Amino acid sequence: MVNIMRMDVYRLVHGKSFWIFLVIIVATAALATGMMSAVTSPEFLQSMQSASDAAARSGFRFSITSGPDFDTSDYADVNAAIAMLSGDITQMAYIGKLFLNGGALTIMFAIFLSIFLASEFETGFSKNVFTVQPNRLAFLGARVVEIVVLAAVFVAVALAATLASAALFGLDLAPSPLPDFLLWSVLVTLVTAGFGMITALFVWLTRKMAVGIVVGVLLSAGLVTSILQAILLLFPDLMHLADFTLGSCMASLGQGLNVAGGLSPVHVACTALVFLVASAALSALALQKKDI
C-alpha cells in the first residue's frame, strides 16, 4: 500500500493535470474576487450613481430587478443595490458562492480524478501494480486515502486562494471564528471526497475516463439532487430524504455553518461518510475485474 502511494505521488508531481487544476482554482479565485472588488469599490459605485442620476435627469429610469416579485422601492438607489453583493458576507459564504454553490470545486475535482484514475488503465500502469501487488484491497485502500488527501488539497488551495485574493484586492469579508472555519473546511473536504469516491467507482466499473467525468459532473452540479427533489414533490412526506444527498450537504455548506435552514454539521459528516464507505465497498467489487 505504501509503495502504491509512493508511485502515485511520483505520477502526481511529474504529471501536468494536477498542477493545471490547482492553477485553475487559484485563477478562478483571483479573477472572481478581483471583479467583486471592482464592482463594489467606491469609485465604481459612484460612477453607477452618477449614471443613474444622469439618466433620471434625462427622463430615463434605471432599475435593477430580480424576478417578478422584486420591489425596487426597497433600495434608495443603484449604490445600495450593488453594495448588497458584498455587504456583511462571511468568509465561508463568499467561498461558498465561488466554489461550492454550483459545484465548481467538486466538478474540477471529479474531472481531475477521472483523468488520473483512468490513465492507470489506459497506460497499463494498473497491470504493473496488480502484478506486483495482487491484493486489490491494498490498492483500494491506497486510493481511498489518496482521494481524501487530494480532496483536502483542492479545498485548502481554494480556501487559501480566495482569502489571499480578498486580502490582496481589499475585499472586506466578515471573519469567521477559527473553530467554525476549521470544522466547515473539514466538512467541505469530506463531501468533496464523497463526490470523488463515487467518480472513482464509475471509473473502476467501466475503465473509462469519459464515464467518470460525466457522472462526476452531473453529481457535482447538483442535477441528480434536483431530479430527486422534483420526484419527491409528489411525496411531500418524503421530501426530507433529499437532505441525505451530497448535493444537499454541499449546498448547505455553501451558505456557511449552522445557518438558518441549513443542515447540521453532524448530518453533513454522517452523510458524507456513508457515501465514502458505500462507494469504497462497491469499488472493492468493481476492482475484481481482471485487467491482465
Side-chain angles (χ1 to χ4, degrees):
M1 180 173 172
V2 174
N3 290 332
I4 294 174
M5 295 179 69
R6 286 176 179 172
M7 288 187 287
D8 286 338
V9 170
Y10 180 87
R11 293 171 59 214
L12 284 170
V13 172
H14 291 81
K16 296 180 180 179
S17 60
F18 178 66
W19 303 110
I20 289 173
F21 278 98
L22 293 187
V23 169
I24 292 174
I25 291 174
V26 173
T28 299
L31 290 173
T33 303
M35 292 178 62
M36 177 66 76
S37 177
V39 301
T40 57
S41 65
E43 295 79 8
F44 183 83
L45 296 177
Q46 182 60 44
S47 66
M48 290 295 293
Q49 183 62 60
S50 298
S52 178
D53 293 342
R57 288 193 297 270
S58 66
F60 177 77
R61 182 176 179 80
F62 182 81
S63 64
I64 298 176
T65 60
S66 180
D69 298 325
F70 187 83
D71 184 3
T72 56
S73 65
D74 292 341
Y75 302 98
D77 51 28
V78 176
N79 181 74
I82 297 178
M84 73 176 182
L85 291 173
S86 62
D88 297 325
I89 187 171
T90 65
Q91 295 171 331
M92 290 184 286
Y94 181 66
I95 295 170
K97 287 179 181 296
L98 289 189
F99 288 108
L100 307 186
N101 297 333
L105 181 64
T106 47
I107 286 174
M108 285 188 281
F109 187 57
I111 295 174
F112 162 72
L113 274 185
S114 298
I115 295 172
F116 180 69
L117 297 177
S119 66
E120 296 178 318
F121 301 98
E122 295 176 353
T123 62
F125 177 78
S126 63
K127 297 181 181 180
N128 296 328
V129 172
F130 294 147
T131 299
V132 177
Q133 174 56 270
N135 184 354
R136 301 196 178 202
L137 289 181
F139 174 87
L140 174 61
R143 289 296 176 272
V144 173
V145 172
E146 290 167 2
I147 288 173
V148 174
V149 171
L150 287 170
V153 171
F154 270 62
V155 171
V157 171
L159 269 56
T162 303
L163 296 180
S165 298
L168 178 64
F169 291 107
L171 186 63
D172 189 20
L173 301 176
S176 304
L178 183 58
D180 289 350
F181 189 80
L182 292 176
L183 174 59
W184 178 79
S185 301
V186 171
L187 293 175
V188 173
T189 298
L190 285 176
V191 176
T192 301
F195 280 114
M197 275 305 306
I198 297 177
T199 301
L201 169 61
F202 280 88
V203 170
W204 290 327
L205 277 172
T206 63
R207 289 357 188 209
K208 300 294 183 182
M209 180 192 305
V211 174
I213 291 176
V214 170
V215 171
V217 169
L218 290 179
L219 288 172
S220 299
L223 180 60
V224 175
T225 299
S226 297
I227 293 174
L228 177 61
Q229 291 173 332
I231 294 174
L232 291 177
L233 287 175
L234 302 175
F235 311 95
D237 293 338
L238 300 179
M239 278 298 295
H240 66 282
L241 293 180
D243 292 339
F244 294 91
T245 63
L246 293 177
S248 293
C249 290
M250 192 61 92
S252 178
L253 292 173
Q255 305 305 313
L257 192 66
N258 294 320
V259 296
L263 302 176
S264 70
V266 174
H267 177 102
V268 173
C270 290
T271 300
L273 288 173
V274 167
F275 275 95
L276 270 170
V277 173
S279 298
L282 292 174
S283 296
L285 300 177
L287 286 171
Q288 296 304 310
K289 179 180 177 181
K290 300 300 180 181
D291 298 286
I292 56 176

